Amino acid sequence: MNQLTLIVVVLVVYMAAMLFIGWMGRSKSDNFDEYVTAAKKGSFLLVCGSYIGSHIGNGVVVGGAQNGVVYGLAGVWFGVGACLSYIIYALVMAKRMKKEDCLTLSEVIDKNYGGRTCGTIYAVINCGAAISIMAGQIVAGKNLFQYLGLNPVVGAVLCTLVVFIYASMSGQWGVMMTDVIQVAVIFACTLIALFYMIGSGAFDVMHATLDAAEWSLFNADPEAIVMNAVPGMLYGLISCASFQRNTSAKDEKTAFNSALWGGLILLPYVFLPVLMGMYGKALFPDTPSGMILFKVMMEAFPPFIGALMIASLMAAVMSTVDSQLIYVTASVTKDIYCQFINKNADQKKLAKLGRIITIVAGLITLYIALDAQMITSMLSYAYTFLCAGTLVMVVGGIFWKKATKAGAIASSIVGIFFVILYKFCGVNLPFSSIFPILPSLIAFVIVSLCTQPKNQIQKA
């Protein structure tokens, strides 16, 4: 059996297993609330494994290897930011959000500000960012098929199809259960690859070939380090995927510990894909960074290890896409359809609608992924856009008693305006990936103080 045949067999078996899990979990999503929260019975293993699965996806695996080629060891900052996002979420938000007992973060926002405007703004911005994040993951499947000499469109379609079938069958329970398995596959395969690298003298080759500067954590300009680490870290405070897992946990203790340990367990792992990228650069210096991980898998490792690594790559794709997908489904159904179209829809109708939205979101994601290239750039842009438009609104509304709806709306408008200035108008901003948060905060404070309720001003 040649290597390509072995890879195809492994992929078929793996994807069939994911679909089987989705089929087994059909009873876990009898109504809409169960579909998006796993009936709020998530154990530590399920919720923590799902946290790890969300970020261990291609941002950390394929994106980490790609960054290893571009930045050397400094390519690890994207993964570090991802880990810190969970730790920050645990310390700041986990218990507070669990007490809110809401299905979506938009509901929490509306409870703090009153009305539906702020929650709707968050829902719209977040759905756009989530689709961008999902598309960034599907890019890896497309690139893999392209490297194998197969049709890249087929790769993107296949990855998308499998994820959306099992997610639509079993909802959040299926997402968390498959995430746990996918994380186990990724951890096992990359550790096997690391031991092989050590045994075959890979680190000697890397030290002899690569520049000494590439072994520095700061082998990148400050702007690049901030862009890779900080937006993703701040995203943890307003992450829809984290909120959905938090809501799915069986109690506050599980919600807190799952997020905290998810970040701590993942932190040492994020170095491994970066080292694999550096190894690939040492062996194949002319290979494009986006293809380096596939090159290492196919040509530097024995066939069986390479096949296992391909399986882990598919696990990485799926483990990030499915979690974002469930929140998009929940947000569009609960925050838009129920709020503005049909307030009296029953649970069965909502569950059916949720499955339809899952398919539509998959098609949109697939369309975007077919033209996308750089994984971590897409993720960083999505985090930047989401943080600029919603970070101050969400955190300020929860922790500042003088926050007002007008201030929240102003913060969102100003933040998005500054993103547009530097993304589309060519305006240079210092640390542009996070700079929009500053004017967003200033607008939030000023407008909130100027729009305090009269009775509150009189009491003061």
Side-chain angles (χ1 to χ4, degrees), residues 11 269 307 311 316 368 415:
L11 286 177
Y269 173 86
I368 295 173

Side-chain angles (χ1 to χ4, degrees), residues 182-237:
Q182 288 157 356
V183 167
V185 171
I186 297 168
F187 272 13
C189 291
T190 47
L191 286 174
I192 290 172
L194 176 65
F195 292 142
Y196 177 80
M197 287 170 61
I198 294 172
S200 63
F203 287 89
D204 293 333
V205 173
M206 293 157 67
H207 278 290
T209 306
L210 301 177
D211 294 336
E214 295 187 68
W215 292 95
S216 170
L217 286 172
F218 301 96
N219 182 40
D221 62 81
E223 181 92 17
I225 292 175
V226 168
M227 181 193 74
N228 277 287
V230 179
M233 179 182 69
L234 295 177
Y235 168 71
L237 294 170

Side-chain angles (χ1 to χ4, degrees), residues 99-116:
K99 290 177 181 177
E100 294 285 354
D101 194 30
C102 294
L103 288 183
T104 66
L105 188 51
S106 295
E107 289 186 48
V108 177
I109 296 169
D110 285 338
K111 284 175 64 175
N112 287 312
Y113 289 111
R116 298 191 296 267

Side-chain angles (χ1 to χ4, degrees), residues 294-338:
F294 313 131
K295 188 81 170 178
V296 172
M297 288 177 185
M298 298 290 290
E299 300 184 27
F301 294 144
F304 184 68
I305 294 179
L308 289 178
M309 288 299 297
I310 294 296
S312 73
L313 176 59
M314 290 299 100
V317 172
M318 296 176 187
S319 63
T320 303
V321 172
D322 55 17
S323 58
Q324 295 290 333
L325 171 64
I326 289 298
Y327 191 86
V328 171
T329 300
S331 188
V332 173
T333 305
K334 191 72 176 178
D335 302 326
I336 297 176
Y337 179 79
C338 288

Side-chain angles (χ1 to χ4, degrees), residues 126-144:
N126 186 72
C127 285
I131 287 175
S132 179
I133 292 169
M134 289 190 288
Q137 308 305 313
I138 298 299
V139 168
K142 181 183 71 173
N143 290 347
L144 171 61

